[in-house]
């Protein structure tokens, strides 16, 4: 899997890319649905399956006091995306400049202009652009005018629960690893350094 530190770091053009957009924190069952759709779209067109994600988490830039604890480190996220079958990941640096980009500019300059998106895959509740003024329906319209198709993936539910990173964090805070694991689609793991303990 190729990894690029933002669109300005691309060393080659993306090949007829189908692009899934999101934070992908946890790479949970909902994210797996996005990846499956982007993989299918890429295979149908002979292109590559691309994930556009952001570091740091947008909340860390916009409202740092409310930024959520991360389910995965950036490195673990990349491992999980590779295991899910993604060809290329563009890790766009999230900055005040990016946050100020208007919704139309996000589509025309970044998605279609810099990344050459042929197909864009997002969740049905996707919002983007300055003040989150861009919605999924606006994306369909704006991208369509520029020749890119948009696929909207409905929420994924497990046992009647909508899968989300926020819900998984709540289960982990409460110590309910079983429910967190059901929504993640795997056991939660933690990266860290093993140190010598008390030897008991």
């Amino acid at each position: 899997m190729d990894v690029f530190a933002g669109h300005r770091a691309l060393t080659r053009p993306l090949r007829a890319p189908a692009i899934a957009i999101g934070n992908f924190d946890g790479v949970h069952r909902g994210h797996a649905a996005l990846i499956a759709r982007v993989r299918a779209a890429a295979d149908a067109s002979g292109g590559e399956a691309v994930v556009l994600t952001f570091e740091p988490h947008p909340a860390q830039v916009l409202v740092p006091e409310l930024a959520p604890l991360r389910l995965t480190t950036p490195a673990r996220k990349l491992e999980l995306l590779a295991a899910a079958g993604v060809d290329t990941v563009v890790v766009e640096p999230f900055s005040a400049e990016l946050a100020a980009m208007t919704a139309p500019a996000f589509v025309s300059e970044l998605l279609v202009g810099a990344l050459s998106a042929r197909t864009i895959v997002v969740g049905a509740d996707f919002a983007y652009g300055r003040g989150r003024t861009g919605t999924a329906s606006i994306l369909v319209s704006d991208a369509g005018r520029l020749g890119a198709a948009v696929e909207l993936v409905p929420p994924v539910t497990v046992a009647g629960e909508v899968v989300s990173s926020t819900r998984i964090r709540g289960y982990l805070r409460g110590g309910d690893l079983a429910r967190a694991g059901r929504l993640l689609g795997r056991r939660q793991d933690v990266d860290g350094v093993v140190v010598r303990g008390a030897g008991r």
Side-chain angles (χ1 to χ4, degrees):
M1 183 179 78
D2 290 336
V3 180
F4 298 103
H7 70 279
R8 292 186 176 92
L10 290 173
T11 56
R12 61 171 177 81
L14 299 178
R15 187 182 75 258
I19 302 176
I21 309 171
N23 287 313
F24 289 89
D25 186 26
V27 193
H28 54 55
R29 289 182 185 272
H31 298 138
L34 292 176
I35 293 167
R37 287 305 310 139
V38 88
R39 179 77 267 167
D43 290 345
S45 66
E48 58 187 303
V50 177
V51 160
L52 172 63
T53 189
F54 307 94
E55 288 294 343
H57 190 289
Q60 289 180 268
V61 174
L62 300 174
V63 281
E65 67 279 6
L66 299 178
L69 295 175
R70 302 289 293 273
L71 296 172
T72 46
T73 64
R76 180 62 174 143
K77 178 165 68 171
L78 292 176
E79 290 174 359
L80 292 167
L81 290 172
V86 174
D87 296 318
T88 301
V89 177
V90 178
V91 184
E92 194 68 25
F94 194 87
S95 62
E97 177 188 7
L98 183 63
M101 183 177 277
T102 65
F106 182 82
V107 177
S108 63
E109 295 175 19
L110 181 58
L111 297 182
V112 178
L115 301 179
S116 305
R118 295 280 185 87
T119 304
I120 300 165
V121 179
V122 296
D125 61 350
F126 180 66
Y128 62 99
R130 185 169 59 219
R132 296 173 59 85
T133 54
T135 63
S137 60
I138 290 172
L139 178 62
V140 170
S141 175
D142 287 352
R145 281 197 295 272
L146 297 169
V150 175
E151 294 192 24
L152 304 181
V153 177
V156 171
T157 59
V158 174
E161 282 190 290
V162 174
V163 178
S164 74
S165 298
T166 300
R167 194 175 296 256
I168 293 166
R169 287 186 198 102
Y171 284 138
L172 291 174
R173 274 194 301 271
D176 195 335
L177 300 182
R179 283 183 173 155
R182 278 199 294 272
L183 300 189
L184 280 166
R186 65 178 191 285
R187 290 181 177 178
Q188 169 69 353
D189 52 54
V190 178
D191 290 337
V193 177
V194 178
V195 298
R196 182 174 296 279
R200 289 195 287 269

